[in-house]
Amino acid sequence: MWRRRFGALLLRPRSSAPIPSSSSGHRHLPLPVSHEKPLALNILLSLFTSQAGGDAVKPFIAFVLGGPGSGKGTQCARIASDFGFAHLSAGDLLRNEISSGSEKGELILDIIKEGRIVPSDITVDLIRKAMESTNAKKVLIDGFPRCEENRIAFERIIGTEPDLVIFFDCPEDEMVKRLLGRNQGRVDDNIETIKKRLKVFESLNIPVVDYYSSRGKVHKINAMGTAEEIFGAVRKLFSSIRL
Ligand SMILES: Nc1ncnc2c1ncn2[C@@H]1O[C@H](COP(=O)(O)OP(=O)(O)OP(=O)(O)O)[C@@H](O)[C@H]1O
Ligand SMILES: O=c1ccn([C@@H]2O[C@H](COP(=O)(O)O)[C@@H](O)[C@H]2O)c(=O)[nH]1
Ligand SMILES: [Mg+2]
């Protein structure tokens, strides 16, 4: 996408800082310990590179991560309406593909029912198309990347990294309670699939959070409390970014 114009600048290696190991067994991620640069400085630098290079302006990209039911979708809807972000939910894009009745959709449905991760090329392709069809200068990518392979595929195909990663930190029992009370008819909101999704989250998604923590890109938000209380912390973060 922007790789031809921005790739060299955005994808240059920054350092070989060690990546902290995953916090398996923890339901709450410890605060990021290894920051190359403070988060605010990182955001400022990526804003600068977003604007560089003439006509094609790379949008500001925020990945929104957190366990199943941690409130990603709820908070993204608020960020989109209050701060003018486009909200791209990877899960919704996959569910739309299922609804389209395509062959790919059948494969996706089988994977979602099992709480597993859809192959990266399928998800990144859907995200790429959605990004191309929005003119937004600020984009939230909700619920992606789910694993290191997803992350690497995004960086290769889209040709850039996120400017910011928000991590909603929520205890497991609260996530289970929320998912069982969601009542939106999702095929994966049943206790068997929820248990699998939680395992996948711990083993595959937390390493992605750890990776971006080591690059100083993660802003962790305590996801316990009312949606309004949590949005208070979210609002504070986005108000400080001034995009
Ligand atoms: N702070 C909160 N307190 C209580 N319930 C909440 C809170 N935030 C969201 N919910 C509710 O919990 C459920 C899950 O929220 P949401 O869909 O936003 O989570 P999610 O992280 O996007 O989940 P998933 O990963 O499964 O898509 C929804 O029914 C939502 O209304
Ligand atoms: O990048 C992604 C996002 C989602 N999935 C699959 O979809 C379900 C539901 O996702 P939500 O974000 O909770 O709506 C998830 O459990 C995965 O099976 C995916 O594979 N890759
Ligand atoms: Mg969601």
Side-chain angles (χ1 to χ4, degrees):
M1 260 176 122
W2 303 280
R3 185 162 24 171
R4 266 165 273 141
R5 288 185 176 112
F6 297 101
L9 190 59
L10 291 165
L11 292 176
R12 69 176 182 268
R14 288 181 186 166
S15 95
S16 54
I19 298 168
S21 61
S22 142
S23 58
S24 78
H26 288 89
R27 295 300 172 247
H28 287 275
L29 194 73
L31 278 172
V33 282
S34 168
H35 277 204
E36 277 180 62
K37 297 189 239 17
L39 181 68
L41 179 58
N42 260 327
I43 291 173
L44 211 72
L45 281 172
S46 59
L47 279 175
F48 173 75
T49 55
S50 293
Q51 310 309 319
D55 53 343
V57 176
K58 186 192 90 64
F60 180 92
I61 298 171
F63 285 164
V64 181
L65 301 179
S70 58
K72 301 180 294 297
T74 303
Q75 295 300 323
C76 281
R78 294 287 308 266
I79 301 166
S81 86
D82 285 26
F83 293 94
F85 275 73
H87 174 198
L88 307 183
S89 155
D92 285 349
L93 292 170
L94 293 168
R95 284 182 285 274
N96 291 345
E97 188 65 28
I98 296 172
S99 304
S100 78
S102 72
E103 213 171 292
K104 230 184 271 172
E106 286 175 29
L107 169 74
I108 296 169
L109 177 60
D110 288 343
I111 293 173
I112 288 184
K113 275 186 191 160
E114 287 296 313
R116 291 185 287 113
I117 297 174
V118 172
S120 300
D121 55 341
I122 295 181
T123 313
V124 176
D125 199 43
L126 292 171
I127 292 173
R128 181 182 59 75
K129 286 178 185 150
M131 288 178 80
E132 280 172 1
S133 65
T134 172
N135 279 329
K137 295 189 179 71
K138 304 178 266 187
V139 179
L140 299 170
I141 302 186
D142 165 4
F144 178 93
R146 286 310 236 250
C147 59
E148 280 290 276
E149 199 214 316
N150 272 181
R151 175 184 72 70
I152 291 161
F154 180 92
E155 292 181 357
R156 177 173 51 80
I157 295 166
I158 308 294
T160 189
E161 291 184 9
D163 301 285
L164 168 68
V165 178
I166 301 167
F167 174 66
F168 287 108
D169 189 24
C170 195
E172 209 170 277
D173 54 354
E174 175 69 15
M175 294 195 275
V176 173
K177 194 173 91 188
R178 290 182 190 175
L179 291 173
L180 290 176
R182 182 153 55 182
N183 287 326
Q184 286 178 358
R186 276 180 50 164
V187 291
D188 52 352
D189 280 350
N190 58 78
I191 193 63
E192 291 75 26
T193 312
I194 290 170
K195 282 182 187 159
K196 292 176 187 165
R197 289 160 71 195
L198 288 167
K199 275 193 186 144
V200 166
F201 168 66
E202 276 291 327
S203 60
L204 298 177
N205 201 198
I206 287 291
V208 176
V209 179
D210 288 342
Y211 171 81
Y212 284 124
S213 269
S214 76
R215 295 177 66 77
K217 293 198 173 206
V218 174
H219 187 94
K220 185 170 83 158
I221 291 180
N222 177 4
M224 275 301 276
T226 65
E228 196 51 44
E229 284 165 350
I230 296 156
F231 191 65
V234 170
R235 186 192 289 114
K236 206 167 152 196
L237 168 67
F238 281 90
S239 301
S240 74
I241 297 175
R242 262 191 256 117
L243 295 166

